[in-house]
Amino acid sequence: MPNNNQVLFVKTPSASSIKGNMFLYERKNEKQSWKLADSFPVTVGRSGLAKDAHSVIPLNDNLPVKQEGDGKSPSGIFKLWKVFSYHNLQNLKMPFVQVDTNFYCVDDVNSRYYNQLILADTAIKDFNSFEHMKLSSNGYEYGVWVLYNSNPAIAGNGSCIFLHVWRDENTPTSGCTAMAKENMLKLIHWLDEKKNPVLLQVVEE
């Protein structure tokens, strides 16, 4: 894509695979060639991948369309938003928010806050389901918000899609893309807002 000089390229061997690999590519500008900065294994949704209904790139017609609660990670190309963490991180080149137990991501399709990051104590409670952004585990200790189904968020198309720390290499997610903590840390310090990073996620076949 024009003006995107960092790409997080994820590919899985099949539509139902829960494992894949992420390749970090970077270039100085559109006239320069892409260079591989790093690569490492990832896990995706427990039901594999499903395509973004509004994808701007061609995807396999046999892939199901991503829906709320399907346990699938979205396939397509997506901008990235804020890095988030339980800790106050310094020296990042991305927008950042330190999350605590007051931060929710709403996944209730009937809520005005669907697929939004909110502060629980200031929101009008019109939702019955949400994700805590600070978990009892280290899953969201470090993460990146993926701008899937955003601007506008279409009810039912899927919500709360992140890059985050995995439980282990054999445990899938509910629809996010996860990796080892050490790789998550490398990723968030590599990302640069000025390079307009995007996540490109596809099935290899």
Side-chain angles (χ1 to χ4, degrees):
M1 293 177 73
N3 303 315
N4 296 111
N5 296 317
Q6 283 184 331
V7 173
L8 292 63
F9 178 41
V10 171
K11 59 182 178 180
T12 65
S14 73
S16 59
S17 298
I18 63 164
K19 296 182 180 183
N21 287 291
M22 177 178 284
F23 302 86
L24 305 183
Y25 287 101
E26 189 169 30
R27 62 183 179 182
K28 289 185 177 179
N29 55 56
E30 290 180 57
K31 295 179 181 178
Q32 302 294 317
S33 58
W34 290 99
K35 293 186 177 179
L36 181 65
D38 206 349
S39 64
F40 41 80
V42 295
T43 57
V44 295
R46 62 181 179 272
S47 303
L49 295 188
K51 63 183 173 185
D52 174 12
H54 302 281
S55 177
V56 296
I57 60 170
L59 295 169
N60 187 332
D61 288 338
N62 295 323
L63 271 184
V65 174
K66 171 71 185 159
Q67 295 179 322
E68 184 66 46
D70 61 5
K72 295 178 182 289
S73 296
S75 181
I77 189 163
F78 315 105
K79 294 180 180 180
L80 302 178
W81 189 38
K82 292 183 177 182
V83 171
F84 58 86
S85 176
Y86 304 165
H87 315 290
N88 182 15
L89 303 182
Q90 304 290 328
N91 304 315
L92 297 179
K93 292 170 282 193
M94 292 289 285
F96 171 73
V97 58
Q98 184 176 0
V99 294
D100 56 31
T101 53
N102 193 36
F103 284 80
Y104 296 173
C105 177
V106 177
D107 56 11
D108 185 333
V109 297
N110 296 310
S111 170
R112 75 189 74 191
Y113 305 115
Y114 180 63
N115 199 25
Q116 292 181 38
L117 179 67
I118 65 165
L119 291 168
D121 61 0
T122 58
I124 299 166
K125 194 173 187 310
D126 69 346
F127 48 88
N128 293 312
S129 62
F130 60 90
E131 282 205 41
H132 286 283
M133 294 303 296
K134 187 168 186 181
L135 307 175
S136 56
S137 69
N138 73 338
Y140 292 173
E141 184 179 5
Y142 302 98
V144 184
W145 190 291
V146 178
L147 286 175
Y148 165 74
N149 190 28
S150 300
N151 302 318
I154 298 170
N157 280 15
S159 61
C160 307
I161 302 298
F162 315 126
L163 307 175
H164 65 78
V165 179
W166 68 21
R167 186 178 303 169
D168 58 60
E169 63 188 10
N170 295 309
T171 303
T173 70
S174 296
C176 296
T177 298
M179 64 206 72
K181 183 174 173 177
E182 63 193 56
N183 292 324
M184 191 74 236
L185 281 165
K186 284 192 287 186
L187 173 62
I188 61 176
H189 285 95
W190 175 76
L191 288 171
D192 187 343
E193 182 180 23
K194 292 180 180 176
K195 296 186 177 182
N196 298 311
V198 290
L199 171 67
L200 172 60
Q201 198 155 250
V202 297
V203 177
E204 194 168 5
E205 66 188 19

